[in-house]
């Protein structure tokens, strides 16, 4: 999409006498796009919705770039709506198909995107058809088990329930930042890659075997606060977390309880690379 848009921009460049004006406009457009993505989108959207929106708008530009004006009739609205209904039916029937019908599931994934090609004759119809396929699939991908979603300038955070485990996950994009069991009796259990059999668990096991306690420990990145439950009486822990949204979620006892259950550890909000320069030498063990 970016390549096509840049190609269209280059093809429409003016004569050399107006290139200064052309480059000023192009730079202004780039600045406005950067402001929209970096500053405005994190405030008004709870997810990365500017991405599909940009794809749909880019497809709609075919209408504006057309040499011959195209009228928009009722068919240009009705046909994408019909495609939208088909996509919804596929998504709603997905679980009913189950693992017994992988060919049907494959067709459900392949046919709707391919069908968009037949809408390319009209820019508005084409853009609406792209939206009819893209938006439901994105919503369906993110929604199962979703308890909470918010966005900051550092990422899109989703709190999701996995009923099969059962656990609650904190996810940023495709990265798991921590998980907690839903059973109150297991709220202090270290799960995912923080578990006691993993590298971090082995490290703290070795530390406990070698030292009596009272260590000064700094942790870069808070996540759900799982590491707090490796603390012992007398330990001095400091978490460095750059994103206030992560701290707010880790302290929200509707979802996570590690900080509540495992001590009053200090959380230093800000960039750890900056904060650590102000710490005295050998501050941490």
């Amino acid at each position: 999409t970016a390549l096509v848009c840049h190609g269209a921009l280059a093809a429409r460049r003016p004569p050399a006498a107006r290139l200064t004006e052309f480059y000023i406009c192009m730079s202004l457009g780039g600045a406005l796009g950067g402001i929209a993505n970096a500053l405005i989108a994190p405030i008004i959207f709870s997810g990365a919705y500017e991405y599909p929106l940009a794809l749909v708008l880019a497809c709609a530009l075919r209408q504006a770039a057309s040499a011959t004006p195209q009228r928009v009739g009722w068919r240009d609205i009705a046909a994408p709506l019909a495609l939208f209904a088909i996509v919804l039916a596929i998504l709603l029937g997905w679980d009913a198909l189950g693992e017994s019908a992988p060919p049907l599931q494959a067709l459900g994934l392949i046919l709707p995107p391919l069908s968009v090609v037949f809408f390319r004759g009209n820019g508005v119809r084409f853009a609406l058809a792209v939206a009819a396929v893209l938006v439901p699939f994105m919503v369906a991908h993110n929604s199962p088990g979703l308890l909470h979603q918010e966005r900051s300038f550092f990422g899109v955070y989703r709190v999701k329930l996995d009923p099969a485990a059962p656990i609650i996950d904190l996810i940023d994009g495709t990265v798991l930042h921590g998980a907690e069991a839903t059973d109150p009796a297991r709220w202090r259990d270290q799960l995912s890659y923080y578990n006691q059999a993993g590298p971090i668990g082995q490290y703290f096991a070795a530390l406990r075997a070698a030292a009596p306690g009272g260590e000064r420990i700094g942790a870069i990145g808070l996540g759900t606060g799982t590491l707090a439950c490796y603390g012992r009486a007398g330990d001095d822990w400091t978490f460095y977390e750059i994103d206030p949204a992560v701290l707010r979620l880790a302290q929200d006892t509707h979802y996570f309880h590690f900080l509540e259950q495992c001590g009053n550890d200090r959380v230093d909000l800000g960039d750890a690379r900056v904060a650590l320069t102000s710490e005295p030498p050998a501050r941490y063990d």
Side-chain angles (χ1 to χ4, degrees):
T1 299
L3 182 63
V4 169
C5 288
H6 279 79
L9 184 65
R12 295 168 65 137
R13 67 189 182 277
R18 298 188 62 193
L19 282 181
T20 301
E21 177 187 354
F22 171 74
Y23 284 121
I24 288 175
C25 290
M26 190 171 69
S27 300
L28 178 62
L32 291 174
I35 291 171
N37 283 332
L39 300 179
I40 298 176
I43 295 174
I44 64 175
F45 294 140
S46 64
Y49 301 128
E50 71 274 17
Y51 176 67
L53 181 62
L55 290 177
V56 172
L57 289 176
C59 293
L61 283 176
R62 294 179 73 238
Q63 182 88 356
S66 176
T68 56
Q70 297 172 319
R71 293 183 178 181
V72 179
W74 67 269
R75 291 186 179 87
D76 299 318
I77 307 298
L81 281 176
L83 179 60
F84 179 74
I86 292 171
V87 172
L88 279 183
I90 291 172
L91 291 173
L92 291 174
W94 193 266
D95 292 334
L97 289 174
E99 298 180 358
S100 61
L104 291 177
Q105 291 180 328
L107 286 175
L109 281 176
I110 294 170
L111 290 181
L114 284 180
S115 67
V116 173
V117 176
F118 298 103
F119 292 78
R120 69 187 185 277
N122 179 285
V124 171
R125 189 194 313 164
F126 181 64
L128 291 176
V130 171
V133 172
L134 192 62
V135 173
F137 272 108
M138 287 193 66
V139 172
H141 173 70
N142 292 327
S143 58
L146 186 66
L147 302 176
H148 175 78
Q149 177 172 297
E150 67 177 89
R151 180 174 179 176
S152 74
F153 292 104
F154 298 97
V156 177
Y157 301 105
R158 289 174 290 143
V159 179
K160 300 187 75 173
L161 172 65
D162 180 359
I167 58 174
I168 295 177
D169 297 323
L170 175 61
I171 302 170
D172 174 13
T174 58
V175 179
L176 177 65
H177 282 286
E180 181 181 287
T182 57
D183 182 359
R186 299 184 58 209
W187 276 350
R188 298 170 66 97
D189 291 358
Q190 298 97 347
L191 304 178
S192 69
Y193 41 76
Y194 297 108
N195 71 85
Q196 295 187 10
I200 196 70
Q202 295 175 33
Y203 170 77
F204 279 107
L207 182 67
R208 289 168 179 166
E215 276 72 42
R216 295 164 301 177
I217 300 170
I220 297 177
L222 176 64
T224 56
T226 312
L227 284 179
C229 289
Y230 278 108
R232 296 179 294 178
D235 283 350
D236 177 13
W237 280 71
T238 301
F239 286 93
Y240 295 91
E241 174 54 54
I242 197 170
D243 196 343
V246 172
L247 175 59
R248 187 168 58 252
L249 288 171
Q251 292 176 331
D252 191 335
T253 53
H254 289 97
Y255 310 121
F256 305 109
H257 303 82
F258 293 114
L259 295 181
E260 176 196 56
Q261 294 278 312
C262 298
N264 298 314
D265 306 305
R266 182 166 68 96
V267 179
D268 190 326
L269 272 176
D271 191 329
R273 296 168 296 182
V274 176
L276 286 170
T277 61
S278 63
E279 297 287 0
R283 165 74 174 86
Y284 296 111
D285 297 313

